Amino acid sequence: MQPDKQNANLRIAALVSVGKHPGSGRARRAEQDARAVEMGLAMAPQGLEVLHAGDPHAEALRAYAGMGLKKIRILQQGENADAVPALSQYLGESKPDIVLTGVRAESGESSGMMAYLLGEKLGMPVVTRIAEIVSIDNGQANLLQALPRGQRRALRVPLPFVASVDMAAAAPRQSAFGPASRAEMEAKKADVEVRDEVQASWSEAPARKRPKRLKVVKAKTAADRFKAATAKSSGDGGKVLRDKPASEMAQAVFDLLLEEGVIR
Amino acid sequence: MILDWLLPVLISVALLLAVAGMLKRISLWRAGQPEKVSFFSGLMAMPRRYLVDLHHVVERDKYMSKTHVATAGGFVLSMVLILAVHLFGVENRWLSYALLSALVLMFVGALFVFKRRLNPPSRLSKGPWMRLPKSLLMFAVSFFIATLPAAGILPENFGGWLLAAVLAAGIVWGMGELLFGMGWGGPMKHAFAGSLHLAFHRRPERFGGGRSTGLKPVDLTAAKLGVEKPTDFKWNQLLGFDACVQCGKCEAMCPAFAAGQPLNPKKLIQDMVVGLAGGSDAKFAGSPYPGIEVGKAEGGPNKTITEGLVSPDTLWSCTTCRACVEECPMMIEHVDAIVDMRRFLTLEKGNTPNKGAEVLDNLIATDNPNGFNPGSRMNWAADQNLRVMKDVKEADVLFWVSDGAFDMRSQRILRSFVKVLKAANVDFAVLGDEERDSGDVARRLGDDATFQSLAKRNIAAMSQYKFKRIVTTDPHAFHCLKNEYADLYPEGQKPDYEVLHHTTFINELVKAGALSLEEFKGGTVTYHDPCYLGRYNGEYDSPRELLNELGIEIAEMERSGFRSRCCGGGGGAPITDIPGERRIADMRMAEIKETGAELVAVGCQQCTAMLEGVVEPRAEVKDIAELVADALIEGDAPVSKKNGKQAKPNADKRVAEEIL
């Protein structure tokens, strides 16, 4: 994805959070958020603003800066504050063309609701789990949405929109220590700070491993196992129409749509 | 006679031009970064460094050392006498005779240089270097004849103006090469730059039989980290590059070059010279980087090195095995330069190739290169009943486990070593989960920030406990702990422990009689010297003594000891994985095969992994700790009879104490 002239005026906001390494529990750059930054850098290196709501002194934020950012904008707020009001207030004013987030945070609530809540507040369409922004033309973006098992769905979405970035997106570039330590952390007190009352009433504990049903592999040969692992899960009740007259197949589709109540 | 007035003029002009060239060259070096050197003591020490330390290296090639002594000695002597006889006109027959003999000496030396250049090995650079022996001969012969009248052997005006003209031409040629060329970048530049390089060497500890192999720490607060442009090198590093004689001994030893990876240490140094002086590599007349054409590279003092002068792949091909540095008769520090440039790529550009970035991320997040849970560092020893420093606070020996803890093959080495320690009743403990990666890989990959962070946390962990020695089975950790951690201790503190490799330590135990070993009953055995144990730390003897104790007669490989070839596993090379035509480990295994060995003893888990990665049939690979553990006569350890099996390793530690 080479940034072309078309994107010169494109403005992207990538929202980043403090991640958590699954093994060590140490703060780090979150994998999906880093992909969002990578996507932003590849699409519009000039018009990218990387945004964080929370503690401006979090060291993990510097790992994003090490990807080659001059600065990170931080809406400073307390530990228990809800990120959504502050972010939506700021984004409502700055009006970026695209808002990129991760699918879900690696720490904290990790509800995966950020993209939806922002979309609702800002009145923008939400696209989930995108893998790539292919191109932007005439105020519309051509996106690839990531589906399970490596499948992609091509979408065309009008700007502005909110998108969550899937792990299938291009891996983030390496974070370099030099630029990371020199980047500007532009902290500003968030205009609104709303205490997250719901979260405050919760108590956090490490997840307990729950018993898992053993997957009994019935396949006898390696080829069967491979098929079982990779084959597309087929939905029930499907019917494959093939090698029949077109009118017959069209009638079948029409009947189904009628039956499902899609058309009346 | 014409020469009477012409000679002094020629000599003066040549000298003046040479000095002008030297001043110009000095200004090129001074464009580098400041570095403190002891100016006068360096200069005072220079003759000794040249005549003793450098000579020791050159002496490995007897033909060349004798040739060089005659040629260079003859030249220096004759130059001094030429100044006396021909420039200052001292009329003394004996002085003239002395000059004649010096010139004969130089002539004889030059003849041998000439002879070697008749059919030069591929490692030697051609081009102007092929001209040098002729220039040397011309200088010696011309001055010889020109001096005969002064010695009274020939009458004045012998030969008339014709001979005078011929001699003048020869002298201009000779002095053009030897004096003018010295200042203006000819082959003789090596004499001028080389002597100053010896005087202002960045690692003066290397002279007088010492050793200095630890990398220098990066100032992480600097405006730019690592070396981007030639002027980002320290000035004396630039000077060092200029000292190169293009003998290609480095090239002949470089494992990456032999494997067809795009690295040739000699070319790299010459490219640095191109960089510091500006221009292109079109005039380079030696072997290219494998797979990269000569003549396309361009650079300048203020141009980014990796954009046009040296490909990053060249820098990442290096295994940091130090074979080039060990071999270099000019004591140039190739590895320092390579790591300096890697530092820029990693710390400023974020461009560590292949798995580099992932490994560094893992080291930052989990303190080990593979991203394992740091809390599982002791899982390998679940059945070993090891004492952990956190509990005991004090032990004679701290066993540095290293990241081998996470690797199942390396765990066999660790277990074997623990078995040996217990059999000898050594009072030892481990840091357990408080231990972190030593930082070796991070540092070699150029990430000095992560290295320093790991090192400082390791130092903090170690500082809580009391121990006299650290013993480790990993030569890379050994090197970091021994040679590189001292720079990172908090101000006013320094390490108060000794660091030993396990082969050294076991060898001590055996010598003290703390272990009883049975005879090794296998076939032929050879020994592979790990770079970080041998060349980095000079430990060649203990592993060999230990193998001898086991009754093994080592079938040495041709490349062994200080000339051992790298397994290909150092310097993060398996992580950056630059493609070549062959694998270094395969080449090493072929050398092992040449000895007819059925088993290769190693002292490094990285070497074990690399050599075991070679497809079978091949020699079996075993760490010396494993060989010793296999040979232990159990229950019959000299002192531990009454304890039965060593349930409490420090219950009886007399023997261990004796040697500690």
Side-chain angles (χ1 to χ4, degrees), chain B residues 156-168:
Chain B
E156 296 279 329
N157 294 325
F158 175 84
W161 64 269
L162 185 67
L163 180 65
V166 171
L167 286 183

Side-chain angles (χ1 to χ4, degrees), chain A residues 122-142:
Chain A
L122 297 169
M124 292 187 195
V126 176
V127 194
T128 55
R129 295 189 173 271
I130 66 169
E132 192 181 335
I133 302 176
V134 183
S135 63
I136 290 175
D137 52 69
N138 304 324
Q140 296 206 317
N142 294 307

Side-chain angles (χ1 to χ4, degrees), chain B residues 5-44:
Chain B
W5 63 265
L6 186 58
L7 261 184
V9 172
L10 286 178
I11 296 171
S12 315
V13 169
L15 279 176
L16 279 176
L17 286 175
V19 169
M22 289 175 182
L23 290 175
K24 169 104 194 303
R25 208 77 204 170
I26 290 171
S27 75
L28 291 178
W29 303 330
R30 284 173 54 95
Q33 301 301 308
E35 164 105 327
K36 271 217 177 100
V37 293
S38 38
F39 191 81
F40 289 106
S41 63
L43 279 178
M44 297 294 284

Side-chain angles (χ1 to χ4, degrees), chain B residues 153-418:
Chain B
I153 296 171
L154 284 180
E156 296 279 329
N157 294 325
F158 175 84
W161 64 269
L162 185 67
L163 180 65
V166 171
L167 286 183
I171 284 167
V172 167
W173 176 357
M175 287 200 305
E177 181 80 88
L178 289 161
L179 294 179
F180 179 79
M182 195 182 279
W184 293 91
M188 283 305 290
K189 180 188 70 179
H190 81 268
F192 157 61
S195 48
L196 291 181
H197 165 61
L198 290 179
F200 306 128
H201 200 283
R202 213 168 157 225
R203 298 179 179 274
E205 305 86 355
R206 285 187 66 192
F207 303 107
R211 193 174 294 279
S212 166
T213 53
L215 293 173
K216 315 260 181 204
V218 173
D219 172 13
L220 294 175
T221 58
K224 187 189 328 181
L225 308 174
V227 167
E228 176 190 15
K229 303 163 183 166
T231 48
D232 294 335
F233 281 113
K234 306 286 182 207
W235 71 271
N236 49 357
Q237 284 180 288
L238 295 178
L239 164 60
F241 301 145
D242 251 348
C244 175
V245 286
Q246 303 194 37
C247 67
K249 300 227 162 161
C250 49
E251 169 188 323
M253 297 310 287
C254 178
F257 180 80
Q261 288 171 275
L263 170 63
N264 174 352
K266 180 176 87 174
K267 173 79 165 63
L268 183 81
I269 297 301
Q270 284 314 304
D271 281 351
M272 296 297 108
V273 174
V274 167
L276 79 94
S280 93
D281 70 338
K283 289 196 195 112
F284 178 71
S287 319
Y289 297 126
I292 299 181
E293 207 182 319
V294 171
K296 300 272 168 68
E298 276 181 20
N302 284 307
K303 288 191 194 155
T304 303
I305 293 170
T306 47
E307 289 168 8
L309 186 57
V310 176
S311 145
D313 278 1
T314 297
L315 303 177
W316 295 113
S317 294
C318 177
T319 66
T320 68
C321 74
R322 249 185 115 79
C324 49
V325 183
E326 182 76 38
E327 208 63 27
C328 181
M330 286 311 233
M331 305 193 143
I332 296 169
E333 296 283 344
H334 312 63
V335 175
D336 282 358
I338 289 174
V339 174
D340 280 342
M341 290 184 275
R342 284 184 178 186
R343 284 170 171 173
F344 177 76
L345 292 176
T346 294
L347 292 175
E348 292 291 350
K349 290 279 150 198
N351 255 338
T352 322
N354 287 326
K355 290 283 174 188
E358 191 184 319
V359 165
L360 294 175
D361 273 350
N362 284 337
L363 282 169
I364 292 167
T366 62
D367 305 330
N368 68 75
N370 293 309
F372 294 113
N373 183 348
S376 65
R377 194 172 269 278
M378 279 298 280
N379 288 8
W380 71 276
D383 57 346
Q384 297 292 307
N385 206 9
L386 297 187
R387 301 191 311 148
V388 180
M389 275 292 184
K390 205 189 229 166
D391 306 330
V392 294
K393 309 284 183 206
E394 191 175 347
D396 287 340
V397 169
L398 170 66
F399 171 27
W400 189 271
V401 176
S402 83
D403 290 330
F406 295 107
D407 174 65
M408 289 171 83
R409 174 64 183 92
S410 308
Q411 287 168 9
R412 295 203 330 244
I413 303 173
L414 297 174
R415 279 166 205 285
S416 301
F417 183 54
V418 166

